[in-house]
Amino acid sequence: MTDPSTPASVVPLPAGQSKQVVTPLSGKAVFAAAVGTVLVVVVAVTALWLTLAVGGVDPARVTARLEVLRIGLSLGLGGGGLFALYLAWRRQRSTEIALLQKERDQADVARAHALQERVAAENRAHQERVAVATEADAAARRITELFTKAVEHLGAGEAPVRLGGLYALERLAQDNPEQRQSIVNVVCAYLRMPVDLPQEPADDPDAHRRRLREREVRLTAQRVLTGHLRPGDDPGHHTAGFWPDLELDLTGAVLLDADFSGCHVRALRLPGVTFLGDVRFTGATFTEDVAFDQTAFTGDVRFDHATFAGRASFRDMAFTGNADFTGAKFARGARFEGASFAAEAGFRGVRFTRTAWFTKTAFARGAEFGSVRFAADAEFRGAVFAGNTRFVDTAFLGSAHFHGAAFRRDVSFREAVFTRSANFHGVGFGGNAGLRDAAFRKDAEFRGAVFTQAPRITADQFSGGVPPELVERRK
């Protein structure tokens, strides 16, 4: 690398160029040249004069002498003029060469200055890169130290120390977005660890207090997760504390009174999770597939106004408390096959964009499907409705399959619309079958259906004609 302090005068000329130098004439040289010219003229004139002097005073010779004198004087003047022109040309040439040399010198200076600036800029950039790398290394070491210390606190035996570890991890994740997923993984791993929860009556007071403290630590861990999964009420501006695009692996965890209301979760893994107490997913958004197949709910559960952007699976689920799905949206299919609802099941206003599967689902008490929109097929084959059931103002835009279902108490399809085929083959209606004001736009099959009470229908409800089985029941 070139030293920036190198003088501009030593910068080499570009290849192919040579430095032109005109040596100035001294005063003595000019005087000597002038005297020499005069002497040459004088000698030449004298020689001619003497040659013509031989032979007397002939007028022709006198005239010739005068002519020689005139020629000599002319030569002297001409030589002087030529010498003067030469001197003028030399001065002009010297001036031009001086100007050219000056321009080259200025170009050399400019190149040297540009080189100095480039070298200085490269040095500054190198220094900046070194400073940034040093700062990044220092920051990485600091984050590693804080992370390690917080994890150590999380594994401490005293509950206050574990709480401090949780809050330290939360602050670290808030300040360092690139570390959030790792920190969330640590918190999820803590929740997946086995736990002994307090029970009543407490046979060992000390153990009971330890369990109560551990309960508070776990509730704090849950709040750390859910508190940063809420983007806020303004869709265009998320809160500063929102952590987007996170993945939660809670496999086998025991969660206490979990509240995921308003949370936005990219991926949520819940196999073997036990939810103790009431659970809330009100207004939650699941951007990928989510499966609750092997999840246990011990209390009431709310999914009202939740959005399932991916596939949602609740197969073989046991809902021991009330289950509220009011206003939920299922964009890519919902599967409730084999699920059991021990208490009230509310699906009012739900939007099913793709097929909704309720095959062999058991509803022990009331089931509310009022104002539901089934954009694709609705599968209720073999479902059992032990309580009162309502499909009032429900829109079946795809095929509706109730083959082999059992309504053991009253069911109402009032103002429901069946856009495509409706299959009630072998359905048992143990109570009042409310088909009044329902509209069947295509085929409706009630073959093998059993009614304990004759349904009230009119012919204009069936675009394809009243099914023969219902005609017989009307008689």
Side-chain angles (χ1 to χ4, degrees):
M1 183 176 293
T2 305
D3 188 354
S5 62
T6 303
S9 60
V10 300
V11 176
L13 289 173
Q17 293 186 10
S18 61
K19 187 173 182 179
Q20 301 184 30
V21 178
V22 177
T23 304
L25 295 176
S26 64
K28 293 181 178 180
V30 174
F31 178 76
V35 171
T37 302
V38 171
L39 289 176
V40 170
V41 173
V42 170
V43 170
V45 171
T46 301
L48 291 173
W49 183 273
L50 292 177
T51 300
L52 295 174
V54 179
V57 289
D58 184 9
R61 289 183 176 275
V62 172
T63 302
R65 289 175 184 176
L66 293 175
E67 185 66 23
V68 168
L69 181 60
R70 186 181 63 80
I71 292 172
L73 292 175
S74 298
L75 289 174
L77 291 175
L82 289 175
F83 186 70
L85 288 175
Y86 169 72
L87 291 179
W89 171 83
R90 187 176 179 84
R91 284 193 299 271
Q92 179 65 26
R93 181 61 177 164
S94 298
T95 303
E96 292 176 354
I97 292 175
L99 290 175
L100 179 60
Q101 187 61 42
K102 183 177 180 180
E103 291 177 356
R104 288 176 177 174
D105 291 342
Q106 290 176 346
D108 292 341
V109 171
R111 283 195 297 271
H113 183 67
L115 179 60
Q116 291 175 352
E117 289 185 346
R118 185 169 68 252
V119 171
E122 291 177 354
N123 290 336
R124 285 195 300 271
H126 176 69
Q127 293 173 357
E128 291 175 357
R129 288 193 297 270
V130 172
V132 170
T134 302
E135 184 179 356
D137 290 342
R141 287 195 297 270
R142 180 181 61 83
I143 292 173
T144 301
E145 292 172 358
L146 293 174
F147 181 81
T148 303
K149 189 174 182 179
V151 172
E152 290 176 353
H153 287 173
L154 193 59
E158 298 79 13
V161 178
R162 295 198 296 277
L163 286 172
L166 281 173
Y167 288 125
L169 287 173
E170 179 184 21
R171 180 175 180 180
L172 187 62
Q174 180 64 29
D175 295 339
N176 301 275
E178 68 279 1
Q179 301 295 328
R180 288 174 182 172
Q181 185 61 65
S182 298
I183 292 173
V184 166
N185 292 342
V186 171
V187 178
C188 289
Y190 184 83
L191 291 174
R192 292 198 302 266
M193 296 176 62
V195 58
D196 291 327
L197 296 176
Q199 298 179 355
E200 298 293 345
D203 52 355
D204 185 345
D206 292 337
H208 185 68
R209 282 192 292 270
R210 286 196 300 271
R211 292 171 180 173
L212 285 175
R213 288 193 287 268
E214 176 59 20
R215 174 187 173 90
E216 290 304 316
V217 174
R218 286 181 169 266
L219 288 173
T220 300
Q222 291 176 194
R223 286 193 290 268
V224 167
L225 290 179
T226 58
H228 292 284
L229 294 176
R230 298 186 176 99
D233 297 330
D234 187 356
H237 298 84
H238 295 162
T239 61
F242 176 56
W243 299 349
D245 299 324
L246 292 180
E247 178 179 330
L248 274 63
D249 184 2
L250 297 169
T251 302
V254 176
L255 304 181
L256 313 172
D257 297 325
D259 185 2
F260 288 84
S261 298
C263 291
H264 282 221
V265 183
R266 180 175 63 85
L268 181 62
R269 291 199 287 270
L270 299 169
V273 173
T274 300
F275 290 94
L276 299 180
D278 296 339
V279 182
R280 297 184 62 189
F281 287 92
T282 301
T285 297
F286 303 91
T287 58
E288 295 185 4
D289 297 349
V290 59
F292 291 84
D293 297 351
Q294 303 173 20
T295 304
F297 294 104
T298 62
D300 294 345
V301 57
R302 296 186 60 179
F303 286 92
D304 50 307
H305 304 288
T307 299
F308 298 86
R311 290 181 290 268
S313 179
F314 295 86
R315 287 181 293 190
D316 300 320
M317 276 288 304
F319 295 89
T320 57
N322 295 325
D324 185 6
F325 288 85
T326 301
K329 297 177 181 178
F330 295 88
R332 297 190 60 194
R335 308 193 74 101
F336 288 86
E337 302 106 303
S340 60
F341 294 85
E344 299 290 332
F347 289 85
R348 182 175 182 82
V350 173
R351 297 293 182 264
F352 294 98
T353 303
R354 296 189 181 180
T355 301
W357 302 85
F358 288 89
T359 305
K360 295 184 179 180
T361 303
F363 299 88
R365 297 178 63 181
E368 174 62 64
F369 285 87
S371 300
V372 172
R373 179 185 178 88
F374 294 96
D377 293 350
E379 292 284 348
F380 286 90
R381 301 173 193 264
V384 176
F385 299 87
N388 292 330
T389 306
R390 285 167 49 87
F391 286 90
V392 176
D393 194 32
T394 300
F396 296 90
L397 303 183
S399 298
H401 300 281
F402 287 88
H403 184 97
F407 296 95
R408 295 178 179 171
R409 299 191 66 179
D410 296 346
V411 58
S412 176
F413 287 92
R414 184 168 183 172
E415 297 181 354
V417 177
F418 296 86
T419 304
R420 301 182 65 183
S421 61
N423 188 336
F424 288 86
H425 177 72
V427 173
F429 294 92
N432 179 40
L435 300 178
R436 186 176 180 180
D437 297 328
F440 296 87
R441 303 285 172 78
K442 286 195 174 181
D443 297 337
E445 181 180 351
F446 285 84
R447 181 167 50 88
V450 178
F451 296 89
T452 58
Q453 301 180 32
R456 299 177 60 186
I457 58 174
T458 59
D460 58 359
Q461 293 179 236
F462 299 88
S463 299
V466 180
E469 300 83 2
L470 296 185
V471 174
E472 294 177 1
R473 294 298 306 178
R474 293 174 63 190
K475 295 179 180 178

Coordinates of all heavy atoms in Angstrom, one line a residue, residues 282-329:
T282 N -59.8 -16.6 23.1 CA -60.6 -15.6 22.5 C -59.8 -14.6 21.5 O -58.9 -14.0 21.9 CB -61.3 -14.7 23.6 OG1 -62.1 -15.6 24.4 CG2 -62.2 -13.7 22.9
G283 N -60.3 -14.6 20.3 CA -59.6 -13.7 19.3 C -58.2 -14.1 18.9 O -57.5 -13.3 18.3
A284 N -57.8 -15.3 19.3 CA -56.5 -15.7 18.9 C -56.4 -16.0 17.4 O -57.4 -16.3 16.8 CB -56.1 -16.9 19.7
T285 N -55.2 -15.9 16.9 CA -54.9 -16.2 15.4 C -53.9 -17.3 15.3 O -52.8 -17.1 15.9 CB -54.5 -14.9 14.7 OG1 -55.6 -14.0 14.7 CG2 -54.2 -15.3 13.2
F286 N -54.2 -18.4 14.6 CA -53.2 -19.4 14.4 C -52.9 -19.4 12.9 O -53.7 -19.7 12.1 CB -53.8 -20.8 14.8 CG -54.3 -20.9 16.2 CD1 -55.6 -20.5 16.6 CD2 -53.4 -21.2 17.2 CE1 -56.0 -20.6 17.9 CE2 -53.9 -21.3 18.5 CZ -55.2 -21.0 18.9
T287 N -51.7 -19.0 12.6 CA -51.3 -18.8 11.2 C -51.0 -20.1 10.5 O -51.0 -20.1 9.2 CB -50.2 -17.8 11.0 OG1 -49.0 -18.3 11.8 CG2 -50.6 -16.4 11.6
E288 N -50.6 -21.1 11.2 CA -50.3 -22.4 10.6 C -51.3 -23.5 11.2 O -52.1 -23.2 12.0 CB -48.9 -22.8 10.8 CG -47.9 -21.9 10.1 CD -46.4 -22.3 10.3 OE1 -46.2 -23.4 10.9 OE2 -45.5 -21.6 9.8
D289 N -51.1 -24.7 10.7 CA -51.9 -25.8 11.3 C -51.7 -25.9 12.8 O -50.6 -25.8 13.3 CB -51.5 -27.1 10.6 CG -51.8 -27.1 9.1 OD1 -52.4 -26.2 8.6 OD2 -51.3 -28.1 8.4
V290 N -52.8 -26.3 13.4 CA -52.8 -26.5 14.9 C -53.6 -27.7 15.2 O -54.7 -27.9 14.7 CB -53.3 -25.2 15.6 CG1 -54.7 -24.9 15.3 CG2 -53.1 -25.4 17.1
A291 N -53.1 -28.5 16.1 CA -53.8 -29.8 16.5 C -53.9 -29.8 18.0 O -53.0 -29.7 18.7 CB -53.0 -31.0 16.0
F292 N -55.2 -30.0 18.4 CA -55.5 -30.2 19.8 C -55.9 -31.7 20.1 O -56.5 -31.9 21.1 CB -56.6 -29.3 20.2 CG -56.3 -27.8 20.2 CD1 -56.4 -27.1 19.1 CD2 -55.9 -27.2 21.4 CE1 -56.0 -25.7 19.1 CE2 -55.6 -25.8 21.4 CZ -55.6 -25.1 20.2
D293 N -55.5 -32.6 19.2 CA -56.0 -33.9 19.3 C -55.7 -34.6 20.6 O -56.6 -35.3 21.1 CB -55.3 -34.8 18.1 CG -55.7 -34.3 16.8 OD1 -56.6 -33.4 16.7 OD2 -55.1 -34.7 15.8
Q294 N -54.6 -34.4 21.1 CA -54.2 -35.1 22.4 C -54.1 -34.2 23.6 O -53.3 -34.4 24.5 CB -52.8 -35.8 22.2 CG -52.8 -36.8 21.0 CD -51.4 -37.4 20.7 OE1 -50.6 -37.3 21.6 NE2 -51.2 -37.9 19.5
T295 N -54.9 -33.2 23.5 CA -54.9 -32.2 24.6 C -56.1 -32.4 25.5 O -57.2 -32.8 25.1 CB -55.0 -30.8 23.9 OG1 -54.0 -30.6 23.0 CG2 -55.0 -29.7 25.0
A296 N -55.9 -32.1 26.8 CA -56.9 -32.3 27.8 C -57.3 -31.0 28.4 O -56.5 -30.2 28.9 CB -56.4 -33.2 28.9
F297 N -58.6 -30.7 28.3 CA -59.2 -29.5 28.9 C -60.0 -29.9 30.1 O -61.0 -30.7 30.0 CB -60.1 -28.7 27.9 CG -59.4 -28.1 26.7 CD1 -59.5 -28.7 25.5 CD2 -58.6 -27.0 26.8 CE1 -58.8 -28.2 24.4 CE2 -58.0 -26.5 25.8 CZ -58.0 -27.1 24.5
T298 N -59.6 -29.4 31.3 CA -60.4 -29.8 32.5 C -61.5 -28.8 32.9 O -62.3 -29.1 33.7 CB -59.4 -29.9 33.7 OG1 -58.8 -28.6 33.9 CG2 -58.3 -30.9 33.4
G299 N -61.5 -27.6 32.3 CA -62.5 -26.6 32.6 C -63.1 -26.1 31.3 O -63.1 -26.7 30.3
D300 N -63.7 -24.9 31.4 CA -64.3 -24.3 30.2 C -63.2 -23.8 29.3 O -62.1 -23.4 29.7 CB -65.2 -23.1 30.7 CG -66.4 -23.5 31.5 OD1 -66.7 -24.7 31.5 OD2 -67.0 -22.6 32.1
V301 N -63.5 -23.8 28.0 CA -62.6 -23.4 27.0 C -63.3 -22.5 26.0 O -64.4 -22.8 25.6 CB -62.0 -24.6 26.3 CG1 -63.0 -25.5 25.6 CG2 -61.0 -24.2 25.2
R302 N -62.6 -21.4 25.7 CA -63.2 -20.4 24.8 C -62.3 -20.2 23.6 O -61.1 -19.9 23.7 CB -63.4 -19.1 25.5 CG -64.4 -19.2 26.6 CD -64.7 -17.8 27.2 NE -65.2 -16.9 26.2 CZ -65.5 -15.6 26.5 NH1 -65.4 -15.1 27.7 NH2 -66.0 -14.8 25.6
F303 N -62.9 -20.4 22.4 CA -62.2 -20.1 21.1 C -63.0 -19.1 20.3 O -62.9 -19.0 19.1 CB -62.1 -21.4 20.3 CG -61.0 -22.3 20.7 CD1 -61.3 -23.4 21.6 CD2 -59.7 -22.2 20.3 CE1 -60.3 -24.3 22.0 CE2 -58.7 -23.1 20.8 CZ -59.0 -24.1 21.6
D304 N -63.9 -18.3 21.0 CA -64.7 -17.4 20.3 C -63.9 -16.4 19.6 O -63.0 -15.8 20.1 CB -65.7 -16.7 21.3 CG -65.0 -16.1 22.5 OD1 -64.2 -16.9 23.2 OD2 -65.2 -14.9 22.8
H305 N -64.3 -16.1 18.3 CA -63.7 -15.2 17.4 C -62.3 -15.5 17.1 O -61.5 -14.6 16.7 CB -63.9 -13.8 18.0 CG -65.3 -13.4 18.2 ND1 -66.2 -13.1 17.2 CD2 -66.0 -13.2 19.4 CE1 -67.4 -12.8 17.8 NE2 -67.3 -12.9 19.1
A306 N -61.9 -16.7 17.3 CA -60.5 -17.1 17.0 C -60.4 -17.3 15.4 O -61.4 -17.6 14.8 CB -60.1 -18.4 17.7
T307 N -59.2 -17.2 14.9 CA -59.0 -17.4 13.5 C -58.0 -18.5 13.3 O -56.9 -18.4 13.8 CB -58.5 -16.1 12.8 OG1 -59.5 -15.1 13.0 CG2 -58.2 -16.3 11.3
F308 N -58.4 -19.5 12.5 CA -57.6 -20.7 12.2 C -57.2 -20.6 10.7 O -58.0 -21.0 9.9 CB -58.3 -22.0 12.5 CG -58.6 -22.2 14.0 CD1 -59.8 -21.7 14.5 CD2 -57.8 -22.8 14.8 CE1 -60.1 -21.8 15.8 CE2 -58.1 -23.0 16.2 CZ -59.3 -22.5 16.7
A309 N -56.0 -20.0 10.4 CA -55.6 -19.8 9.0 C -55.2 -21.1 8.4 O -55.3 -21.3 7.2 CB -54.5 -18.8 8.9
G310 N -54.7 -22.0 9.2 CA -54.3 -23.4 8.7 C -55.4 -24.4 9.1 O -56.5 -24.0 9.5
R311 N -55.1 -25.6 9.0 CA -56.0 -26.7 9.4 C -56.1 -26.8 10.9 O -55.1 -26.6 11.6 CB -55.6 -28.0 8.8 CG -55.7 -28.1 7.3 CD -55.3 -29.5 6.8 NE -53.9 -29.6 6.9 CZ -53.0 -29.3 5.9 NH1 -53.5 -28.8 4.8 NH2 -51.7 -29.5 6.1
A312 N -57.3 -27.0 11.4 CA -57.5 -27.1 12.9 C -58.1 -28.5 13.2 O -59.0 -28.9 12.5 CB -58.5 -26.1 13.4
S313 N -57.5 -29.2 14.1 CA -57.9 -30.6 14.4 C -58.2 -30.7 15.9 O -57.4 -30.3 16.8 CB -56.8 -31.6 14.0 OG -57.2 -32.9 14.3
F314 N -59.4 -31.2 16.2 CA -59.9 -31.4 17.6 C -60.4 -32.9 17.7 O -61.2 -33.2 18.5 CB -61.0 -30.5 18.0 CG -60.5 -29.0 18.1 CD1 -60.6 -28.2 16.9 CD2 -60.1 -28.5 19.2 CE1 -60.2 -26.9 17.0 CE2 -59.7 -27.1 19.3 CZ -59.8 -26.3 18.2
R315 N -59.8 -33.8 16.9 CA -60.3 -35.1 16.8 C -60.1 -35.8 18.2 O -59.1 -35.7 18.8 CB -59.6 -35.9 15.7 CG -60.0 -35.5 14.3 CD -59.3 -36.3 13.2 NE -57.9 -36.0 13.2 CZ -57.1 -36.4 12.2 NH1 -57.6 -37.1 11.2 NH2 -55.8 -36.1 12.2
D316 N -61.2 -36.6 18.5 CA -61.2 -37.4 19.8 C -60.9 -36.6 21.0 O -60.5 -37.1 22.1 CB -60.1 -38.5 19.7 CG -60.4 -39.4 18.5 OD1 -61.5 -39.8 18.3 OD2 -59.4 -39.8 17.8
M317 N -61.2 -35.3 20.9 CA -61.0 -34.4 22.1 C -62.1 -34.6 23.1 O -63.3 -34.8 22.7 CB -60.9 -32.9 21.7 CG -59.6 -32.5 21.2 SD -58.5 -32.3 22.6 CE -59.4 -31.2 23.6
A318 N -61.8 -34.5 24.4 CA -62.9 -34.5 25.4 C -63.0 -33.1 26.1 O -62.1 -32.7 26.8 CB -62.5 -35.6 26.4
F319 N -64.1 -32.5 25.8 CA -64.3 -31.1 26.4 C -65.2 -31.4 27.6 O -66.4 -31.7 27.5 CB -65.1 -30.2 25.4 CG -64.2 -29.9 24.2 CD1 -64.3 -30.7 23.0 CD2 -63.4 -28.7 24.2 CE1 -63.5 -30.3 21.9 CE2 -62.7 -28.4 23.0 CZ -62.7 -29.2 21.9
T320 N -64.6 -31.3 28.8 CA -65.3 -31.5 30.0 C -66.2 -30.3 30.5 O -67.2 -30.5 31.2 CB -64.4 -31.9 31.1 OG1 -63.4 -30.9 31.3 CG2 -63.6 -33.2 30.8
G321 N -65.8 -29.2 30.1 CA -66.5 -28.0 30.4 C -67.2 -27.4 29.2 O -67.2 -28.0 28.1
N322 N -67.7 -26.2 29.4 CA -68.3 -25.5 28.2 C -67.3 -25.2 27.1 O -66.2 -24.8 27.5 CB -69.0 -24.2 28.7 CG -70.2 -24.5 29.6 OD1 -70.9 -25.5 29.5 ND2 -70.3 -23.6 30.6
A323 N -67.7 -25.4 25.9 CA -66.8 -25.1 24.8 C -67.5 -24.0 23.9 O -68.6 -24.2 23.4 CB -66.5 -26.3 24.0
D324 N -66.8 -22.9 23.8 CA -67.4 -21.7 23.1 C -66.5 -21.4 21.8 O -65.4 -21.0 22.0 CB -67.5 -20.5 24.0 CG -68.2 -19.3 23.3 OD1 -68.7 -19.5 22.2 OD2 -68.2 -18.3 23.9
F325 N -67.1 -21.6 20.6 CA -66.4 -21.3 19.4 C -67.1 -20.2 18.6 O -67.0 -20.0 17.4 CB -66.3 -22.5 18.5 CG -65.4 -23.6 18.9 CD1 -65.7 -24.5 19.9 CD2 -64.1 -23.6 18.4 CE1 -64.8 -25.5 20.3 CE2 -63.2 -24.6 18.8 CZ -63.5 -25.5 19.8
T326 N -67.9 -19.4 19.3 CA -68.8 -18.4 18.7 C -67.9 -17.5 17.8 O -66.9 -16.9 18.2 CB -69.5 -17.5 19.8 OG1 -70.3 -18.4 20.5 CG2 -70.3 -16.5 19.1
G327 N -68.4 -17.3 16.6 CA -67.7 -16.4 15.7 C -66.3 -16.8 15.2 O -65.6 -15.9 14.5
A328 N -65.9 -18.0 15.4 CA -64.6 -18.4 15.0 C -64.6 -18.6 13.5 O -65.6 -18.8 12.8 CB -64.2 -19.7 15.7
K329 N -63.4 -18.5 12.9 CA -63.2 -18.7 11.4 C -62.2 -19.8 11.2 O -61.1 -19.8 11.7 CB -62.7 -17.4 10.8 CG -63.7 -16.3 11.0 CD -63.1 -15.0 10.4 CE -64.0 -13.8 10.5 NZ -63.5 -12.5 10.0

